[in-house]
Amino acid sequence: MFLFRSNLLAAAAKVGSVAITIGLGSAPNQSARAETLPGQPGAPYQSMPSLAPIGTRVDHYLPIPKEDVTPAIDPKKGYRSQQLGRGLYMVTDNGYQSMFLVYETGVVVVDAPPGYSAHIRQAIAEVTDRPITHVVYSHAHVDHIGGVNDLGGHPIIIAQEETLRLLERAKDPRRPVPTVTFKDHYTLKVGSQVLDLSYPGSSPHEPGNIFIYAPEQKVLMVVDVIFPGWMPWRRFALAKDIPGYFDQVAYIDTLPFETLVGGHVNRVGTHSDVRTQLEFMNDLKTAAAAALKSTPPGEEMEAEDRPNLWAIYDNYIDRVVVKCVNAVTPKWQSRLAGYDVFIWDQCYAMEQSLRID
């Protein structure tokens, strides 16, 4: 069962097929307070959403929408491959995604997530016996490139110059520094195949996070920004710049791709997926803005806590987020896979950005 922040009476409720437990205070705050010690859970906020908040344990989550269910991974293989065009393939474990491009005398690999990197050569061998000659880093995060040593050989490694800077600082043997770097744009032409690598000047996710475009195949790979059919990873995929994240999602929709590889989740995407994510983000922004405007600081607090400035803002922010979650849930909980997992994170990040960005 979901465990909400309360040690008072519990009552069962339902959200679709998901059972939850909500603490119900039958007495005013003062009575509830008398039963708890400072810093301990008390009565829930007014209008507490039925979805488990951060820090609570869940017995099961909302089901994945049918349209986002994809073929299961064969546990004996640990991956599946999908052809995206002439010589271009995605490799995935239904959680992470990488690509490889076959040309006349070799293979280019884009990212090597460590969860299945030991199988990438096996996936390539199903298509060709040509060697891996180049590796492209989408960005520096270890969860996307930390398995590059499993590829073997001595490929040319290409990345944006900010990725070089971050990897030199990290000094991580799992992530060899790139041998070729660029600032704004780099065209990798190998045989009759082309990859256009570009850096839009900054990245809301991490410095150096690039766009990888296969023009013949009309495939765009942008990692940790678009999550086709799914709730984005928590707090807008840990975006350092949330207004910039909004701008980048809108910009991606203007590009001439037909297939999008986002680096995560269990399927590729389309322009429709980009627009759906942007629609959700804009609804979230509207809901958080309305909640900020309609929520006075200091309500639902005991008088003795009011001198505690941090407590006032903790209470205020929590109540803003409660309103935000309640506002967007009816429309979106059945449309985005994993909605209930990260909706609280997204509302917290959105209200914070609206207050200070």
Side-chain angles (χ1 to χ4, degrees), residues 141-212:
H141 282 163
V142 69
D143 63 323
H144 290 278
I145 65 171
V148 69
N149 291 329
D150 290 330
L151 302 179
H154 301 282
I156 297 168
I157 300 175
I158 305 168
Q160 203 274 340
E161 60 187 25
E162 285 292 312
T163 296
L164 171 63
R165 177 182 66 82
L166 293 171
L167 292 179
E168 287 178 334
R169 183 183 69 182
K171 297 180 174 62
D172 182 357
R174 296 171 298 172
R175 294 175 284 171
V177 297
T179 49
V180 173
T181 61
F182 65 95
K183 181 178 181 180
D184 300 316
H185 184 266
Y186 184 89
T187 299
L188 177 60
K189 191 174 189 309
V190 283
S192 61
Q193 298 279 30
V194 174
L195 286 178
D196 285 327
L197 314 180
S198 61
Y199 186 55
S202 63
S203 170
H205 178 66
E206 187 196 46
N209 195 22
I210 62 171
F211 290 23
I212 301 113

Side-chain angles (χ1 to χ4, degrees), residues 107-163:
V107 177
V108 180
V109 173
V110 183
D111 282 359
Y116 62 84
S117 54
H119 300 301
I120 292 178
R121 286 192 299 173
Q122 179 183 345
I124 293 171
E126 294 174 353
V127 175
T128 182
D129 60 359
R130 296 166 195 168
I132 298 170
T133 59
H134 299 73
V135 174
V136 175
Y137 287 166
S138 65
H139 63 305
H141 282 163
V142 69
D143 63 323
H144 290 278
I145 65 171
V148 69
N149 291 329
D150 290 330
L151 302 179
H154 301 282
I156 297 168
I157 300 175
I158 305 168
Q160 203 274 340
E161 60 187 25
E162 285 292 312
T163 296

Side-chain angles (χ1 to χ4, degrees), residues 81-102:
S81 300
Q82 178 180 342
Q83 186 166 8
L84 304 178
R86 182 179 71 93
L88 184 63
Y89 298 81
M90 178 183 72
V91 184
T92 182
D93 63 357
N94 280 354
Y96 282 85
Q97 301 168 347
S98 57
M99 295 196 308
F100 67 89
L101 179 67
V102 180

Side-chain angles (χ1 to χ4, degrees), residues 181-263:
T181 61
F182 65 95
K183 181 178 181 180
D184 300 316
H185 184 266
Y186 184 89
T187 299
L188 177 60
K189 191 174 189 309
V190 283
S192 61
Q193 298 279 30
V194 174
L195 286 178
D196 285 327
L197 314 180
S198 61
Y199 186 55
S202 63
S203 170
H205 178 66
E206 187 196 46
N209 195 22
I210 62 171
F211 290 23
I212 301 113
Y213 183 58
E216 177 189 326
Q217 296 84 355
K218 292 184 169 56
V219 173
L220 175 67
M221 184 173 182
V222 182
V223 174
D224 287 333
V225 179
I226 306 295
F227 300 81
W230 286 71
M231 168 68 79
W233 182 259
R234 67 190 330 144
R235 307 197 181 213
F236 301 105
L238 306 178
K240 313 295 188 296
D241 173 10
I242 289 176
Y245 183 85
F246 274 68
D247 290 344
Q248 190 163 98
V249 173
Y251 171 66
I252 287 170
D253 191 39
T254 69
L255 300 177
F257 67 89
E258 294 179 359
T259 302
L260 179 84
V261 177

